[in-house]
Amino acid sequence: EIAQRHLHARRRLTALVFGEIEQPVDPQHHIAVETFRDDRGNRLTPSHTQRGKIRYRYYVCQALLQNQKDKAGAIKRVPAEEIEDIVADQLRRLCERPDCLAETLDGPEVSVEQRQSVLGAIRRLVAKNSTTDNRVWLDLTRKVARKIVVSQVQIQMTVDLGALAIQAGLAT
């Protein structure tokens, strides 16, 4: 019975991927499709399965969906809620540590004034959202994360500092 359910879920997933079933994806429930990658550069595509009335969201490796298991990275499928919570928390912790952000703002193209403005705006963003739940940080992650690489040992996130500055209210 478990194998049959797994096979049914896989067929449905394959049908969704190849457009045989129209299933709208609510952007409020997933981070952008282009953002998540496995450690070999394959996209991790949002998907879900349903058991009874409970819907389980997850990200699945495109190579796996295209029956190219040898091209898939170490992470084949990851629960959406868990990975989203981790990256949202990672962004929150990064914003709470201006010294870490300052390192990313170093370079000849960034003036001292610009750097201080961005750091000040991010400090205000953190102060404004310090007592809120992770949903605020997840929403911010959706807006500023450009690439998230998931491997067995780490998660690397690339943040668009311009988008982060806009979200912090520094620019429009």
Side-chain angles (χ1 to χ4, degrees), residues 137-156:
W137 290 101
L138 181 57
D139 183 50
L140 184 62
T141 302
R142 286 185 182 105
K143 294 173 182 172
V144 304
R146 292 299 164 248
K147 185 177 179 183
I148 300 167
V149 179
V150 182
S151 73
Q152 284 184 325
V153 294
Q154 67 180 353
I155 299 169
Q156 294 178 317

Side-chain angles (χ1 to χ4, degrees), residues 2-63:
I2 293 172
Q4 286 297 323
R5 280 190 280 167
H6 180 69
L7 183 60
H8 175 72
R10 186 179 175 120
R11 284 184 185 145
R12 181 164 171 75
L13 226 124
T14 303
L16 281 168
V17 168
F18 292 106
E20 295 168 15
I21 298 175
E22 295 261 339
Q23 179 71 35
V25 176
D26 184 353
Q28 294 297 317
H29 288 95
H30 289 286
I31 292 177
V33 173
E34 300 81 24
T35 307
F36 278 108
R37 302 276 174 174
D38 69 11
D39 53 350
R40 289 194 174 175
N42 299 302
R43 277 193 353 221
L44 295 176
T45 304
S47 190
H48 73 276
T49 189
Q50 192 158 337
R51 292 186 186 146
K53 293 182 180 181
I54 300 172
R55 185 176 181 170
Y56 298 93
R57 297 183 312 110
Y58 55 92
Y59 292 89
V60 63
C61 177
Q62 271 295 310

Side-chain angles (χ1 to χ4, degrees), residues 108-133:
E109 68 280 353
V110 180
S111 71
V112 173
E113 293 83 19
Q114 288 173 322
R115 183 174 168 222
Q116 292 304 320
S117 292
V118 169
L119 292 175
I122 291 169
R123 280 189 198 100
R124 289 188 296 278
L125 178 72
V126 169
K128 176 181 162 189
N129 295 306
S130 64
T131 59
T132 59
D133 62 35

